[in-house]
Amino acid sequence: MSTTVAKALSLLDHFSESEPEIGLSELARRSGVDKATVHRMLGVMCDYGLLEKRGDARLYRLGAGVLRLARVRETAFPVSSVFQQSLDSLSAEIGETAHASLVSGRALATIGISEANRGSRVSLVAGEMLPMHSTASGLVVLAYARPDFVDRALSEPLAARTSRTITDPNILRARLQQVQLTGYAESDQTNEDDVYGIAVPVFDNNGDPAGAIAVATPAHRMTNDLRQQIITALFEQAEKLTFSTGGRAPGSFAALAAKVRQG
Amino acid sequence: MSTTVAKALSLLDHFSESEPEIGLSELARRSGVDKATVHRMLGVMCDYGLLEKRGDARLYRLGAGVLRLARVRETAFPVSSVFQQSLDSLSAEIGETAHASLVSGRALATIGISEANRGSRVSLVAGEMLPMHSTASGLVVLAYARPDFVDRALSEPLAARTSRTITDPNILRARLQQVQLTGYAESDQTNEDDVYGIAVPVFDNNGDPAGAIAVATPAHRMTNDLRQQIITALFEQAEKLTFSTGGRAPGSFAALAAKVRQG
């Protein structure tokens, strides 16, 4: 039972800004489920508005139902809009691309981007799912997540996204301990060539990581000064976001944030 | 198989602005499925970020995943933002509440609201599912929908929302024919006491109704002059929206719209 629902829901993960429409055969191929079954699953998801089929085209896209659901969630618990303001001030202040992601089930979903207003900048895909092990945002979330969440994340196949990606769970666990000592995570081209990311966590009302905000720069542009400027700005915004969304940071993180604040 | 996925997805329909958080027992009661099964379904939906459980509270709410999905859809096919602009000008021009809904599977989902800036006005719940048979938006969508869509909508149980709601499918079919003669639908307290609604359809690229925009007033305030003003404004905005979202109206509707435009 659960497996069927999981298979159906996992189809949604394939849709992103770079692939807003996908055909039946492609979805069947990627999910490893036979075409007839996927077709029936897609039909049900269309019935409930999560997907829709564009007219006579053979392609599926996300349905109007997701707009309704997002509106309900955002009206009751405003997060997207609050994060976007922080991202806009980060990218304006630093001149590099800022982005935010939230823990969404066992994955990390990009929910906001503010691109720097300059020609050479890191471009991100809206609505992309971020790998946990290869991104600064993923690492900083794992560093503050509960053990069972970390165990599950590290027990999944860890793709080598670049030649620098760490895919050994034990080395990753050691990385997470380092991250806990500083309160932020860095990824130097471990998720994408030539992209350097720095991320700081935002916490929910239980003190668990709700997600992360991050700044991404072309790797060659990262200097010690810029690094320090980004870290300071991220901590400031992350504390604001935790507070304004009703969260609370664990004591260990709050102490690190206070140190950064005092320079 | 399909039934299980359908049951799981139908749980999402219960969440709205007026009920952003719901507990397990209540969801089990409403869906008519046993608690253990609903609990497993909810677990899978949490895994995929469609729902989340708030900390130690026993309540479920929509998850961050729906924000991601809405962002993907809206970036690739901007609709919410475009509709919102139209609604804002409608409510400013007319001084009454304007709202938009989109066909979402077999239902109609409110995706935008612009409330009039006055004390006495119709208040709507963001993200609510609208009944097809008792609302002006539902009727105007059915009037232009394909026969199988209408058959399915009218074969479901039709709730008497007020003492004026029409629940007889045959009388409703006659109403739909009347709506086709004018291009707009009216609901005089058939969905809610003291609320008068007028709606005009917006079409997709196949000429099928994508949804509707509507203006709702307290019933006692509706006059012939106001009615005419609302209809004219709705047709103008609906044609703009159909055009700007890449849709095309069927010839019969375009002819009616042209007549309204010429006064």
Side-chain angles (χ1 to χ4, degrees), chain B:
Chain B
M1 183 289 286
S2 307
T3 326
T4 314
V5 178
K7 275 283 177 201
L9 296 184
S10 71
L11 296 172
L12 296 173
D13 287 350
H14 299 294
F15 294 86
S16 73
E17 194 197 69
S18 56
E19 255 186 314
E21 295 187 293
I22 313 178
L24 167 61
S25 308
E26 183 59 23
L27 284 168
R29 197 185 60 73
R30 292 201 206 166
S31 58
V33 178
D34 68 279
K35 233 162 128 173
T37 306
V38 171
H39 187 251
R40 279 202 304 276
M41 286 173 172
L42 293 171
V44 177
M45 292 171 91
C46 285
D47 269 357
Y48 285 89
L50 291 185
L51 292 174
E52 59 190 36
K53 215 166 143 185
R54 286 250 273 177
D56 304 321
R58 296 279 170 87
L59 298 172
Y60 291 84
R61 67 173 182 185
L62 294 166
V66 305
L67 302 178
R68 180 190 88 82
L69 296 175
R71 177 156 186 145
V72 169
R73 152 99 192 191
E74 192 65 13
T75 305
F77 313 102
V79 170
S80 264
S81 48
V82 183
F83 271 68
Q84 194 59 47
Q85 286 169 28
S86 275
L87 297 179
D88 290 343
S89 40
L90 277 170
S91 68
E93 181 186 341
I94 296 166
E96 300 285 354
T97 297
H99 63 103
S101 49
L102 290 181
V103 175
S104 168
R106 44 184 129 189
L108 204 56
T110 311
I111 58 130
I113 299 169
S114 182
E115 292 206 357
N117 185 20
R118 60 199 284 178
S120 156
R121 62 177 183 243
V122 174
S123 270
L124 285 136
V125 174
E128 207 183 10
M129 306 296 288
L130 296 182
M132 287 279 180
H133 67 293
S134 59
T135 62
S137 300
L139 291 174
V140 87
V141 162
L142 288 180
Y144 287 94
R146 297 184 184 204
D148 58 332
F149 188 94
V150 179
D151 291 346
R152 193 155 74 162
L154 297 186
S155 68
E156 297 196 357
L158 305 171
R161 306 262 303 177
T162 72
S163 59
R164 293 177 175 230
T165 311
I166 304 170
T167 56
D168 179 329
N170 292 322
I171 302 179
L172 284 166
R173 283 183 192 278
R175 273 293 299 276
L176 299 184
Q177 292 187 324
Q178 293 169 346
V179 171
Q180 287 159 8
L181 297 177
T182 58
Y184 62 87
E186 296 178 82
S187 66
D188 183 5
Q189 310 181 64
T190 51
N191 190 55
E192 201 176 332
D193 284 327
D194 197 35
V195 173
Y196 198 111
I198 305 180
V200 169
V202 175
F203 295 93
D204 68 17
N205 60 337
N206 284 300
D208 292 321
I213 51 173
V215 170
T217 76
H220 68 269
R221 206 146 68 203
M222 186 58 78
T223 61
N224 267 332
D225 279 356
L226 180 58
R227 224 174 124 266
Q228 205 45 57
Q229 192 198 349
I230 291 172
I231 290 167
T232 308
L234 280 174
F235 269 99
E236 190 193 335
Q237 293 298 335
E239 284 202 286
K240 265 194 212 164
L241 285 172
T242 293
F243 179 78
S244 61
T245 55
R248 59 177 179 79
S252 62
F253 179 85
L256 292 166
K259 246 173 73 181
V260 170
R261 224 179 10 247
Q262 286 148 19

Side-chain angles (χ1 to χ4, degrees), chain A residues 1 4 12 15 17 20 46-47 52 55 61-62 65 68 70-71 73 75-77 104-106 112 126-127 129 152 206, chain B residues 4 12 15 17 20 46-47 52 55 61-62 65 68 70-71 73 75-77 104-106 112 126-127 129 152 206:
Chain A
M1 184 288 286
T4 314
L12 296 173
F15 294 86
E17 194 198 71
C46 285
D47 268 358
E52 58 190 36
R61 67 174 183 184
L62 294 166
R68 181 190 89 82
R71 173 150 193 153
R73 151 99 193 195
T75 305
F77 313 101
S104 167
R106 45 185 127 188
M129 306 296 287
R152 194 156 73 163
N206 285 300
Chain B
T4 314
L12 296 173
F15 294 86
E17 194 197 69
C46 285
D47 269 357
E52 59 190 36
R61 67 173 182 185
L62 294 166
R68 180 190 88 82
R71 177 156 186 145
R73 152 99 192 191
T75 305
F77 313 102
S104 168
R106 44 184 129 189
M129 306 296 288
R152 193 155 74 162
N206 284 300

